[in-house]
Amino acid sequence: MQVVKTIKEVREIVKQWKKQGLSIGFVPTMGYLHEGHESLITNAVSENDRVVVSIFVNPLQFGPTEDLSSYPRDFEHDSKICQNNGANLIFHPEPSEMYSEDFCSFVDMTGLTEGLCGKSRPIHFRGVCTVVSKLFNIVHPDKAYFGQKDAQQLAVIKQMVKDLNVDIEIIGCPIVREEDGLAKSSRNTYLNKEERKAALILNKSLKEVYELLLDGERNSEVIIKSIMENINTESLAKVDYVEIVDNISMKKVNIIEKPVLVAMAVYIGKTRLIDNFIFEL
Ligand code: PAF
């Protein structure tokens, strides 16, 4: 496995691979890799001849009061994970390599990015779309892998690729959870012991409404109310949003007649966690 820090090096390596007719899988990450990322890498390895992982904490997708400076970083651990899971190349650029001083072009999206996480993180998806577009232009993969935990991000990337005619197949991979149900996230590391326990309320409340849905409840208001009530029983939890939306357009659904995304963001102490599931009728 090779590790490179410059765009030029990535381009040279990928160009050689393409000359040999090899297919390229790409896993964009912000590092501090966990089993969720590992599943993206192993999927990419199983479906492509070569796999590139980018590790870059993208400043553009963090708001001014968010956790850019404290976002966990451990490159040595990350590179072991990439190596052990069969990645061929890590692209680990400095911010200055990605954003020159005169950088002033952005990829933005309306509609899809305005609800859910976009409401409390207004510049987030512009940062994500911009960096992912840049990474796609640098790596030129055939397929790129994203986790379903960031369901809105996955929908946004799929829409961006469609709208801008980007010739890359976007693959969504299932949420990976801890044994007790908490969705894997690099931000779980912020939780102290008490908060870690409290964080189980996210998955617990989703599981309970899944039963409601199986029993035939189709009114989103009833389901959302049930989740809210459940979360409010946990004193360390504060709801950012709970919503039921169309899985592609991210538009609110009042009566569930098609597959929907049940999604939430909840603060546990100061840590904002997200979780979701897709309900297929
Ligand atoms: O999901 C992430 O880790 C990031 O949003 C991504 C896609 C790597 C862009 O910085």
Side-chain angles (χ1 to χ4, degrees):
M1 186 184 72
Q2 299 179 74
V3 179
V4 299
K5 290 179 94 59
T6 67
I7 294 165
K8 190 166 174 268
E9 287 168 296
V10 180
R11 287 202 162 133
E12 272 162 14
I13 294 167
V14 171
K15 203 167 152 194
Q16 290 309 317
W17 288 341
K18 293 220 164 172
K19 256 192 199 161
Q20 296 167 48
L22 302 173
S23 62
I24 317 287
F26 177 44
V27 182
T29 82
M30 297 208 299
Y32 215 71
L33 305 182
H34 49 67
E35 285 91 333
H37 298 109
E38 284 188 71
S39 84
L40 302 181
I41 299 171
T42 50
N43 272 308
V45 167
S46 70
E47 293 178 356
N48 300 275
D49 299 317
R50 294 290 181 272
V51 170
V52 181
V53 178
S54 64
I55 296 177
F56 178 60
V57 182
N58 172 35
L60 229 57
Q61 69 191 71
F62 288 79
T65 59
E66 291 182 349
D67 55 345
L68 171 62
S69 58
S70 59
Y71 195 84
R73 292 158 169 92
D74 186 348
F75 183 72
E76 224 171 276
H77 164 83
D78 290 347
S79 67
K80 270 189 207 136
I81 292 211
C82 291
Q83 172 99 51
N84 293 344
N85 286 283
N88 304 95
L89 175 65
I90 296 180
F91 176 42
H92 182 42
E94 292 297 329
S96 57
E97 177 71 6
M98 293 296 281
Y99 301 113
S100 55
E101 264 173 36
D102 62 350
F103 182 86
C104 57
S105 304
F106 299 88
V107 180
D108 209 351
M109 188 182 289
T110 54
L112 230 70
T113 56
E114 284 157 19
L116 305 170
C117 292
K119 222 183 251 171
S120 57
R121 307 188 73 192
I123 58 130
H124 176 67
F125 288 111
R126 180 171 97 142
V128 170
C129 286
T130 303
V131 81
V132 170
S133 300
K134 284 172 68 70
L135 290 166
F136 282 176
N137 284 332
I138 294 163
V139 177
H140 278 290
D142 299 287
K143 294 181 180 169
Y145 296 77
F146 293 84
Q148 175 63 37
K149 186 174 81 73
D150 296 295
Q152 189 178 14
Q153 169 172 282
L154 178 59
V156 164
I157 301 292
K158 283 184 173 166
Q159 185 71 36
M160 178 184 84
V161 159
K162 179 170 162 248
D163 288 350
L164 302 182
N165 308 100
V166 181
D167 193 15
I168 295 170
E169 189 182 343
I170 304 301
I171 317 268
C173 300
I175 297 178
V176 178
R177 297 181 181 279
E178 303 282 355
E179 253 173 49
D180 59 9
L182 180 66
K184 299 256 183 194
S185 163
S186 305
R187 288 191 170 99
N188 290 349
T189 183
Y190 296 151
L191 303 169
N192 64 29
K193 213 169 154 199
E194 220 183 322
E195 290 168 342
R196 172 67 183 75
K197 216 167 134 205
L200 294 178
I201 198 69
L202 279 86
N203 186 233
K204 183 170 168 272
S205 59
L206 287 180
K207 267 188 173 162
E208 284 186 20
V209 296
Y210 188 67
E211 295 300 320
L212 265 184
L213 283 158
L214 287 183
D215 286 347
E217 182 57 66
R218 293 290 176 266
N219 187 332
S220 294
E221 210 178 299
V222 173
I223 294 161
I224 291 171
K225 189 164 170 257
S226 160
I227 298 178
M228 294 280 216
E229 280 173 3
N230 209 333
I231 291 174
N232 289 335
T233 61
E234 176 49 71
S235 61
L236 292 176
K238 192 169 154 274
V239 173
D240 179 11
Y241 68 78
V242 177
E243 284 192 27
I244 299 184
V245 296
D246 178 90
N247 190 34
I248 296 167
S249 69
M250 300 285 120
K251 283 200 178 119
K252 278 190 192 179
V253 170
N254 295 326
I255 301 294
I256 300 165
E257 288 163 334
K258 290 192 294 184
V260 286
L261 177 78
V262 182
M264 60 165 66
V266 177
Y267 285 95
I268 301 292
K270 285 190 174 142
T271 306
R272 186 175 173 280
L273 300 177
I274 55 175
D275 203 347
N276 68 76
F277 69 88
I278 294 172
F279 182 67
E280 311 262 7
L281 283 171

